[in-house]
Amino acid sequence: QSALTQEASVSGTVGQKVTLSCTGNTNNIGSSPVAWYQQISHGVPKSVMLGNSLPSGIPDRFSGSKSGTTASLTISGLQPEDEANYYCLTWDYSLSAYVFGPGTKVTVL
Amino acid sequence: EVKLLESGGGLVQPGGSLRLSCVASGFSFSDYWMHWVRQSPGKGLVWVARLKGDRSVADYAASLRGRFTISRDNAKNTLYLQMDSLTAEDTAVYYCARDAGGGRGVDYWGQGTLVTVSS
């Protein structure tokens, strides 16, 4: 059981805006930056948001935010190539360890 | 260009040991924390461990502490993961990753190396 929760699945049509959430507590998301990773068909994960920073080469349709103990990843203008699993990652002070969320499968209809 | 190349995976019997390696290039290796992350077949990503650049601090996932040991040789730009008392539940692809700095997780990932624990 992860210390973080994510939607199991989210779907949208091409061009639609979708928002993924990652919920934790004051020991993790409430106190630490959150990173997001895209993994297509169980290939190598790719960083799509590191705290408030968009990694080089990632389209600006990806954006991140955080409010209290919930972080969000928004894809504005969903594209077919965005179909993937998305994982959040943050440091948990009570565990003294990083923790991943269970992942959200994004389907482009 | 940042590159991370893992090796050392393979088939190992339950109760056995294995040491994974990750050779880094394209950045000043000793300046960065480095991490190991694993993914069992069909499952999600699991953070395993991290090690500070000067080797002074290591952190582990609670469930793996005591069996897994992270280490590095900065002269060889190489990160290691020693895995002991392996069980079938340790079967996974193991990724080496570079720290992103500022507590923002990891930024660059290696291709991964598959470890299969089976008799």
Side-chain angles (χ1 to χ4, degrees), chain A residues 32-37 39 42-47 49-53 56 87 89-91 95-102, chain B residues 35 37 39-47 50 59-62 65 95 99-100 102-112:
Chain A
S32 306
V34 178
W36 291 88
Y37 302 92
Q39 188 179 39
H42 281 275
V44 177
K46 179 196 294 186
S47 308
M49 187 62 58
L50 300 172
N52 295 323
S53 302
S56 174
Y87 297 90
L89 173 70
T90 192
W91 179 258
L95 299 174
S96 293
Y98 271 102
V99 289
F100 278 99
Chain B
H35 301 243
V37 175
Q39 185 172 38
S40 298
K43 300 295 180 67
L45 300 172
V46 175
W47 181 82
R50 70 170 182 173
D59 295 302
Y60 295 88
R65 194 177 294 126
Y95 295 101
D99 193 85
R104 297 175 303 150
V106 300
D107 52 7
Y108 288 92
W109 298 69
Q111 293 296 308

Side-chain angles (χ1 to χ4, degrees), chain A residues 16-101:
Chain A
Q16 191 174 4
K17 182 170 80 171
V18 296
T19 298
L20 287 58
S21 68
C22 176
T23 300
N25 58 45
T26 54
N27 292 316
N28 43 60
I29 292 179
S31 307
S32 306
V34 178
W36 291 88
Y37 302 92
Q38 176 193 68
Q39 188 179 39
I40 298 174
S41 301
H42 281 275
V44 177
K46 179 196 294 186
S47 308
V48 294
M49 187 62 58
L50 300 172
N52 295 323
S53 302
L54 199 65
S56 174
I58 301 301
D60 60 7
R61 64 177 180 273
F62 288 89
S63 63
S65 64
K66 188 171 74 166
S67 177
T69 57
T70 297
S72 300
L73 177 71
T74 297
I75 309 174
S76 303
L78 193 64
Q79 297 299 307
E81 59 267 30
D82 299 333
E83 186 161 290
N85 286 306
Y86 291 83
Y87 297 90
C88 56
L89 173 70
T90 192
W91 179 258
D92 190 300
Y93 283 93
S94 65
L95 299 174
S96 293
Y98 271 102
V99 289
F100 278 99

